[in-house]
Amino acid sequence: MHKKIRSSNSTSTFVPYFINHLTFTMKNVLLIISFICCAFLANAQVVNGTIVDAETGEPLIGASVLVTNTTTGTITDFEGNFELNVKQTGDYTLLVTYTGYADKGVDVVGGTTQLGNIAMDFNSVGLKGVELIASIAKDRRTPVAVSTLKGEQIEALVGNQEFPEVLRKTPSIYVTKEGGGFGDARINVRGFDQTNVAVMVNGIPVNDMENGWVYWSNWAGLSDVTSTMQIQRGLGASKLAVPSVGGSINIITDAAKLKSGGTVTASIGNDGYQKYGFALSSGLLDNGWAFTMQGTHTRGDGYIDGTEFRAFSYFGSVSKVFNDKHTLTMTALGAPQTHHQRTLGRFDNVFLRTFVDPDDPNNEDPTTGVGIRFNPNWGTLNGEEFSFRKNFYHKPKAFINHYWNINSNMELKTSLYASYGWGGGTGPRGRIRTPGSVFSSFGGFGRGIHNQEGQVRWDDLVAYNQGQVVDGFGDAKEQLDGEYVVTADGRVYGDDRTDQGSGFIRRASMNNHSWYGGLSTLTADLNPNLNLVAGVDARYYKGEHFRRLENLLGADAYLSRSDDNNPQNFVREPSPAEFGNFYDPSYKDGNNVINYWNDGLVSWLGLFTQLEHTTDKLSAFISLSGSNQGFKRIDYFNYLDSDPERETDWQNFWGGTAKLGVNYNINENHNVFVNAGAFSRQPLFDNVFLNFRNDINEQIENQQITAFEAGYGLRSQYLDMNVNYYYTNWGNRQFDRFVTIIDEATQEEFDAQALFRGVDQRHQGIELELTARIAKGFEINGMASLGDWEYTNNFTSDITNTDTGEKVGVETLFAEGLKVGDAAQTTASIGAAYRAPFGLRIYADYYYADRLFANYDIFDDQFFSPGAEIAQLPSYSLVDAGASYDFTLGGLNMTLRANVNNVLDEIYIAEMDTNILDNPATPENELYDNRGFFGFGRTWNTSLKIRF
């Protein structure tokens, strides 16, 4: 009998040793450095100063101060102060640098030791204005729970991880890579998925306007051009009515630099990872113009089998300073990419046990325990990697920002933007019928269309589609009117139903869109302590959704029968999913459209205002917003061109937010804050139109969200700490459930519907975040979050006969106390970082996740009887580490960097989307019969960056 595995946490005993050993090592390093420095102190002088923001006067923490042409340097403390032992005699120059600010040279003359305040200006034209448009929260002033990462931190941490993974070590954040394809990561904030988290680039929302999702592969280049990324948990500081139920992520890109120069970067990593990039800046020219451009190319084989990727990114920003009144900034960015994916469906018969089988430690069963990298979607075609699942997309976005200083008390900031998206994802279409029914889903090793290794037999599929006899596929495929044709179910319908449509093709589900908007904000200082903000937010979106023939796989044609206007459409010209072909306009004539074709139109008009009162100790705000969101659907397949139902009327919904908050600075070290808000959230597009048709949901209502938050902050020379409590109620969610009812008198069956209203979730918890400065250059950072996320009650609905509208009974959803799944409710991390004065930086982080529950469907049948439980995944812990070294070679400043993620190669389950509980009475671990994904094992990357 095999030992039953209940959980895995092999790193738990490692943590105390790791922390103690690291602390001991750092202390010894510091002692050695101090000893060496003592030899020079006799001839050294101590120089003091304070580095501050030129506009606000706030101290800049961690600014670098270096004596030019030497390795003598230091960084500023919490108060922006620095103290530097200088060996030079006579006059010399200090170079002060800080991310996002222009480098500043300070001439020290005649042995001066007290330099006072040194003011630094923003390094980018208009960057301050962008941060104001984006509602970036200010420490000890904006009363929200917030964590901020600067571009330098992101560059140090991201390596070859996904962009949102750098937020994992902030409270109440859970990030996974899902199937493991490039850019397929997802993020949860306080237990809410990405549709309930507002993601904004330069203050402009990027959540899909139909379904609210964020596709990180579309923004893969952002990590290279981010100046600031701020995660505001809860309703946040945004003045817009955005879907920030869980929180908002504000990403501020670089702007045109005030200083000329450039960089060249090269990176390599595990599984063939390569990345090459460059950046150039003109600096602010005499005529008031400035520009910055950046580009990268990334490629690799992927950690998961069969997930190779190719990606590019580009960024450009041009600014013109006209006078002290007007500044114009134009920015464009995009990241075209293709990547193979790993997806698992309910018919694939791939479970956690397929990857790792705890009940078969000797691997006696060749169909289980095949490793966490296994992917059933791929194989080789003509010797090249080929997959059913390929994502390809390009989503360029352009902004024009105008900043107008009307007078000393009033300014107007306006951003006009446009975004276009072209691309989609591929998948199988068809069936092999001759030996019965062979589907595209994973049938097993050496079964169906998969070989003994579990890879798709692509060359055999092509041969079969061309009429050849293939082992395991039955008889040879027959022709239809002299052509080899494929259909969705393998059959051709006529006077006699035949199997002449047997075979497979690869289709592409397309999601093209065009998106235009404008955001204008007027700021007025009513008096020295009272500030008024008011503005307008307008957006228009059109999404085009259709499927096109992507690859015939050797066949001559695909027969599409889904179009009411053309029910026998033979499609013979595929449109490959390749760079340069993301947008193929041939679909507009209907000749290469299969399965479906519809447009989704969304309009948005919002108004917002905020009043803020600020003194030295107290800051308070009240914010109101209102918006009208309209939806329209046009269906080209399910209706004849002459049908009036082909295009719906606009369906309009009003919504808005009301928020208020107060921050009180008790003294220079302590502050407290509270905030509260209510959010009436309009429904998503797919909730308005039912059954993938123009059927309008007449009973749809807004969701109602209420939230409260309180926090405490500590700021001192040695310790920064934030503690928050939050409470969020996500209410008035609505679900339909269709059931079959048997009439007791006649024993006849009829369809009925139960409409559940007012389904509520409660999310509450405590968050801790801290940074401790143990010694000069040595920091300890940590976080902990303990959440309690669950459904609040049981919910009852009338059951209605869908034909007569008559009430025929009631049904109860037994949801009270069920934990919300899909994100770890307990997370914690602790890390150490050391920054030596000679350019070396090292860090190590420990991360822990627990109380992670399955991502179940609350409308599974099991929850309509009392006593249902939710499967809990084993807890896990990860260790990451990295180092960088700054040096000069040939007159060029360089940085050599290396990162290792999951240093201990921990095997852990990251997510699970079925709900099978382990039975303690059996020797097997039934948890591994669920469908889900393991996280990545050990990965690494190293890079070299050259500055000029």
Side-chain angles (χ1 to χ4, degrees), residues 103-349:
D103 295 352
K104 190 177 187 69
V106 181
D107 294 326
V108 183
V109 181
T112 304
T113 58
Q114 300 295 328
L115 301 180
N117 286 348
I118 301 172
M120 298 189 70
D121 296 306
F122 266 83
N123 187 32
S124 303
V125 181
L127 182 58
K128 194 75 173 181
V130 171
E131 289 196 351
L132 292 173
I133 290 176
S135 302
I136 292 294
K138 296 182 179 180
D139 188 40
R140 290 172 53 87
R141 175 171 168 177
T142 310
V144 297
V146 61
S147 300
T148 304
L149 295 178
K150 291 294 185 181
E152 183 181 35
Q153 296 171 279
I154 295 170
E155 182 182 6
L157 294 174
V158 67
N160 56 357
Q161 295 188 98
E162 303 292 347
F163 188 32
E165 290 188 271
V166 299
L167 294 172
R168 177 184 283 129
K169 297 176 182 66
T170 58
S172 298
I173 303 296
Y174 191 70
V175 185
T176 79
K177 298 176 185 285
E178 282 202 302
F182 174 80
D184 287 344
R186 62 175 180 83
I187 186 169
N188 290 60
V189 181
R190 289 182 175 175
F192 297 98
D193 68 18
Q194 292 183 152
T195 61
N196 299 294
V197 177
V199 178
M200 293 174 281
V201 176
N202 293 342
I204 306 303
V206 299
N207 298 72
D208 188 283
M209 287 194 69
E210 291 181 86
N211 60 27
W213 200 252
V214 178
Y215 303 91
W216 291 101
S217 59
N218 299 337
W219 306 101
L222 278 178
S223 61
D224 301 301
V225 296
T226 297
S227 169
T228 302
M229 180 162 62
Q230 187 175 88
I231 172 72
Q232 299 177 12
R233 299 179 293 276
L235 293 182
S238 176
K239 305 170 187 67
L240 309 181
V242 290
S244 56
V245 182
S248 58
I249 299 173
N250 294 276
I251 301 168
I252 308 301
T253 65
D254 287 333
K257 300 292 179 64
L258 295 173
K259 180 182 177 181
S260 63
T263 62
V264 176
T265 307
S267 305
I268 59 172
N270 57 279
D271 300 289
Y273 177 87
Q274 302 174 56
K275 183 175 182 178
Y276 308 98
F278 76 93
L280 293 172
S281 295
S282 68
L284 185 62
L285 304 177
D286 293 339
N287 57 8
W289 286 94
F291 72 84
T292 293
M293 64 174 62
Q294 179 268 351
T296 65
H297 171 56
T298 310
R299 62 190 301 148
D301 300 326
Y303 181 85
I304 302 302
D305 294 338
T307 56
E308 71 173 11
F309 57 90
R310 304 289 183 268
F312 298 86
S313 73
Y314 56 88
F315 170 86
S317 183
V318 179
S319 292
K320 168 65 174 176
V321 179
F322 292 94
N323 47 48
D324 59 353
K325 294 288 187 180
H326 298 278
T327 300
L328 190 66
T329 300
M330 294 162 282
T331 303
L333 57 90
Q337 57 79 30
T338 70
H339 70 278
H340 288 159
Q341 298 178 290
R342 177 176 62 174
T343 63
L344 299 178
R346 58 183 300 186
F347 300 111
D348 280 316
N349 296 315

Side-chain angles (χ1 to χ4, degrees), residues 208 210 215 390-394 421-427 506-513 541-550 575-578 580-588 592-600:
D208 188 283
E210 291 181 86
Y215 303 91
K390 180 180 182 179
N391 180 274
F392 59 104
Y393 216 83
H394 183 199
W422 306 293
T426 67
R506 192 168 77 167
R507 51 80 181 162
S509 298
M510 304 296 295
N511 287 282
N512 298 344
H513 77 251
Y541 172 97
K542 179 182 180 181
E544 300 174 308
H545 317 294
F546 59 94
R547 278 183 174 168
R548 74 187 191 194
L549 174 65
E550 196 273 337
S575 182
E578 298 173 351
N581 196 45
F582 289 3
Y583 178 72
D584 180 352
S586 66
Y587 74 94
K588 294 186 176 181
N592 187 14
V593 180
I594 62 177
N595 302 128
Y596 62 84
W597 182 11
N598 58 76
D599 293 346

Side-chain angles (χ1 to χ4, degrees), residues 30-97:
L30 290 171
L31 287 173
I32 294 171
I33 294 173
S34 299
F35 177 79
I36 295 173
C37 291
C38 285
F40 301 96
L41 289 181
N43 295 321
Q45 64 178 2
V46 178
V47 178
N48 299 283
T50 304
I51 311 301
V52 299
D53 183 293
E55 182 175 340
T56 66
E58 295 179 354
L60 299 182
I61 306 167
S64 174
V65 182
L66 180 73
V67 179
T68 56
N69 301 317
T70 75
T71 59
T72 303
T74 187
I75 58 175
T76 57
D77 62 18
F78 167 74
E79 302 295 338
N81 300 321
F82 70 90
E83 182 178 287
L84 187 61
N85 293 313
V86 180
K87 296 176 292 182
Q88 271 71 12
T89 59
D91 301 342
Y92 57 91
T93 300
L94 297 179
L95 177 64
V96 184
T97 60

Side-chain angles (χ1 to χ4, degrees), residues 323-326 403-408 410-413:
N323 47 48
D324 59 353
K325 294 288 187 180
H326 298 278
Y403 311 105
W404 178 18
N405 293 321
I406 300 172
N407 55 46
S408 59
M410 187 177 297
E411 55 186 349
L412 181 67
K413 302 177 182 65

Side-chain angles (χ1 to χ4, degrees), residues 666-910:
I666 300 171
N667 54 35
E668 63 181 8
N669 301 117
H670 306 277
N671 73 290
V672 293
F673 75 85
V674 295
N675 69 56
F679 181 15
S680 180
R681 178 184 176 182
Q682 296 101 322
L684 298 175
F685 185 94
D686 292 340
N687 301 135
V688 177
F689 302 104
L690 305 175
N691 307 317
F692 304 103
R693 296 174 59 90
N694 291 350
D695 301 334
I696 297 171
N697 186 350
E698 301 289 352
Q699 298 177 310
I700 194 71
E701 298 175 356
N702 282 11
Q703 297 173 0
Q704 305 299 328
I705 296 95
T706 56
F708 168 79
E709 197 167 49
Y712 161 77
L714 169 66
R715 301 292 182 271
S716 71
Q717 182 178 354
Y718 301 106
L719 178 66
D720 296 347
M721 183 175 66
N722 294 308
V723 181
N724 308 308
Y725 166 77
Y726 66 89
Y727 175 96
T728 303
N729 189 80
W730 183 17
N732 201 36
R733 300 179 65 198
Q734 301 162 57
F735 299 94
D736 285 338
R737 173 176 162 87
F738 291 91
V739 295
T740 301
I741 302 294
I742 301 177
D743 189 301
E744 294 182 359
T746 64
Q747 295 300 303
E748 293 182 357
E749 295 184 354
F750 59 90
D751 293 330
Q753 179 190 31
L755 174 62
F756 289 85
R757 301 172 183 268
V759 178
D760 290 3
Q761 290 177 212
R762 182 194 64 223
H763 294 235
Q764 62 180 343
I766 298 174
E767 301 166 337
L768 168 69
E769 190 171 24
L770 61 85
T771 299
R773 287 169 286 277
I774 306 301
K776 184 176 293 186
F778 182 41
E779 288 186 350
I780 298 289
N781 55 78
M783 74 85 185
S785 56
L786 179 62
D788 179 22
W789 314 327
E790 60 184 31
Y791 289 89
T792 58
N793 292 295
N794 298 326
F795 306 98
T796 301
S797 170
D798 292 337
I799 301 177
T800 305
N801 187 316
T802 55
D803 294 327
T804 66
E806 176 186 3
K807 176 183 175 181
V808 293
V810 296
E811 188 172 39
T812 300
L813 172 61
F814 293 91
E816 183 176 4
L818 293 180
K819 296 298 183 182
V820 174
D822 201 31
Q825 301 202 21
T826 298
T827 59
S829 73
I830 186 168
Y834 176 63
R835 183 171 182 167
F838 52 85
L840 176 67
R841 305 177 193 180
I842 58 175
Y843 80 89
D845 291 308
Y846 170 83
Y847 172 81
Y848 175 76
D850 194 10
R851 298 175 63 240
L852 170 60
F853 298 91
N855 183 23
Y856 59 93
D857 186 345
I858 190 62
F859 273 76
D860 283 346
D861 289 340
Q862 60 187 308
F863 301 117
F864 288 90
S865 300
E869 298 181 62
I870 309 301
Q872 182 173 342
L873 284 65
S875 63
Y876 66 87
S877 51
L878 305 173
V879 174
D880 298 337
S884 67
Y885 180 62
D886 297 329
F887 61 99
T888 300
L889 183 64
L892 298 174
N893 295 320
M894 302 185 184
T895 299
L896 181 65
R897 190 183 310 280
N899 302 84
V900 181
N901 299 110
N902 193 359
V903 173
L904 302 180
D905 204 21
E906 177 85 350
I907 296 178
Y908 63 99
I909 304 172

Side-chain angles (χ1 to χ4, degrees), residues 566-609:
N566 187 6
Q568 295 290 320
N569 184 19
F570 287 88
V571 184
R572 298 180 176 86
E573 294 296 329
S575 182
E578 298 173 351
F579 284 110
N581 196 45
F582 289 3
Y583 178 72
D584 180 352
S586 66
Y587 74 94
K588 294 186 176 181
D589 59 20
N591 291 331
N592 187 14
V593 180
I594 62 177
N595 302 128
Y596 62 84
W597 182 11
N598 58 76
D599 293 346
L601 281 65
V602 184
S603 65
W604 177 284
L605 181 62
L607 301 174
F608 57 89
T609 185

